[in-house]
Amino acid sequence: MSKNGLVLEGGAMRGIFSAGIMDVLMEHEIRFDGIIGVSAGAAFGCNYKSHQTGRVIRYNTRFCKDKRFCSWHSLWKTGDLFGADFCYRELPDELDLFDRTAFENDPAEFYLVCTDVRTGKARYQRCDKVDADCFQWMRASASMPLVSRIVEVGGGMYLDGAIADSIPLRFFESIGYGKNVVILTQPAGFLKKPSRAMWLVQAALRKYPELVRVLQKRHEHYNETLQYIDQQVRNGKVLLLQPDSPLPLGRICHDPEKLQRAYEIGRAKANGQLDAIKNFLAQ
């Protein structure tokens, strides 16, 4: 039997747009058989499975100026732009509690994507239990190259899942998700360009030639995936949600007002497409 899935692109703080969409869907009790997220899509998407409406925008606006959360100070002190201990222990365990019980009791499958630094291949990790490894997998999925340490978990070494598979629609289809709502954080017409920092990537990650090779071709894979998504939209197998124009923030944002604006843009998009989403999933 075909399953309904939610596929979440990353984009660091642009993922606040996706959080706005997800909050509206949760408020209307729209559920999915499974969720898969990449990078910020994983870090924010897990709140869908834990039924925590509003949590993403709440903690991001509260802590976006905190140097422990995301700062060059954190990068210099810890090796991670987004402080690992703060983001993946202190915040969910003490400052804005992540509902582990709700996450584990919800029947939806939750997957995230990481990139194996030794092979350059995507690792699609299913997380059913919220333990130390689960948060390490989330951290790995969101660990951007050059500004994050390599994460060791599950016997492997990983970085940002977007390196190998930014929008894992094909994987979800391969495990039985025949209908998928895909949320992108860039507007229609966006095409990824080759990285201008590739020389730095090659120098910093020279120990991992397969990872460098994948990074060199990442823009080609991303743009080809966009073409595939368009094809699946035409085939009636994908409902695509994305902003109408570039969001008013970049990958990094320390301005709570900009975060709130991007979040409201996501909410407006979901509210405008609510009937279409319900009809798509009900067919």
Side-chain angles (χ1 to χ4, degrees):
M1 181 176 178
S2 178
K3 297 180 286 188
N4 293 333
L6 178 63
V7 181
L8 302 166
E9 182 184 24
M13 289 301 186
R14 288 197 306 270
I16 290 292
F17 167 81
S18 305
I21 291 176
M22 288 188 284
D23 279 357
V24 170
L25 299 186
M26 283 192 280
E27 289 163 4
H28 287 269
E29 299 184 352
I30 295 173
R31 308 305 299 176
F32 295 87
D33 299 308
I35 303 157
I36 187 166
V38 182
S39 194
F44 296 168
C46 61
N47 294 278
Y48 206 113
K49 184 169 164 63
S50 65
H51 300 243
Q52 289 182 274
T53 307
R55 181 173 181 267
V56 174
I57 186 61
R58 182 174 63 241
Y59 76 70
N60 274 281
T61 52
R62 179 182 174 189
F63 295 112
C64 64
K65 294 184 178 181
D66 192 315
K67 64 183 181 181
R68 299 170 298 169
F69 182 60
C70 174
S71 68
W72 296 114
H73 177 272
S74 174
L75 179 61
W76 171 78
K77 187 175 181 180
T78 70
D80 295 300
L81 185 67
F82 287 86
D85 184 67
F86 182 81
C87 292
Y88 299 100
R89 184 195 61 79
E90 188 172 356
L91 200 161
D93 289 345
E94 300 174 13
L95 301 175
D96 198 319
L97 298 183
F98 182 71
D99 193 334
R100 297 168 183 248
T101 301
F103 181 95
E104 293 175 2
N105 288 340
D106 184 89
E109 299 175 340
F110 182 79
Y111 287 84
L112 51 76
V113 188
C114 303
T115 301
D116 188 314
V117 300
R118 291 174 292 195
T119 66
K121 294 182 179 180
R123 166 74 178 255
Y124 303 98
Q125 179 67 30
R126 180 170 170 176
C127 294
D128 296 313
K129 183 175 177 58
V130 185
D131 54 16
D133 273 2
C134 177
F135 281 119
Q136 283 294 90
W137 284 115
M138 289 187 193
R139 177 188 160 205
S141 182
S143 290
M144 298 181 289
L146 301 183
V147 294
S148 307
R149 292 172 292 170
I150 291 171
V151 178
E152 296 187 27
V153 59
M157 301 167 64
Y158 301 95
L159 280 175
D160 194 335
I163 298 169
D165 194 355
S166 295
I167 314 166
L169 173 62
R170 283 189 175 97
F171 169 75
F172 238 26
E173 290 177 336
S174 75
I175 60 171
Y177 286 86
K179 271 188 171 179
N180 293 284
V181 173
V182 176
I183 303 179
L184 304 183
T185 58
Q186 295 282 13
F190 172 81
L191 291 175
K192 188 173 288 295
K193 298 178 181 178
S195 172
R196 291 178 292 181
M198 188 52 62
W199 63 274
L200 185 56
V201 169
Q202 291 172 319
L205 298 172
R206 59 188 179 278
K207 292 182 180 179
Y208 308 103
E210 290 303 311
L211 183 70
V212 171
R213 181 185 62 79
V214 173
L215 279 162
Q216 288 172 328
K217 293 184 174 294
R218 184 189 168 201
H219 64 288
E220 297 177 6
H221 181 254
Y222 183 92
N223 294 337
E224 188 277 329
T225 301
L226 291 180
Q227 293 179 354
Y228 179 74
I229 290 171
D230 286 342
Q231 174 185 319
Q232 293 300 76
V233 170
R234 292 192 296 271
N235 291 338
K237 296 181 178 180
V238 163
L239 189 147
L240 177 60
L241 300 171
Q242 60 190 139
D244 297 325
S245 58
L247 295 170
L249 77 176
R251 296 176 66 84
I252 306 302
C253 180
H254 302 291
D255 186 339
E257 292 184 0
K258 288 183 178 180
L259 290 168
Q260 189 68 42
R261 278 207 305 276
Y263 172 78
E264 296 298 338
I265 292 170
R267 288 190 62 90
K269 172 61 69 171
N271 279 313
Q273 295 293 313
L274 203 54
D275 288 342
I277 295 166
K278 291 178 178 178
N279 290 337
F280 173 75
L281 295 175
Q283 288 173 2

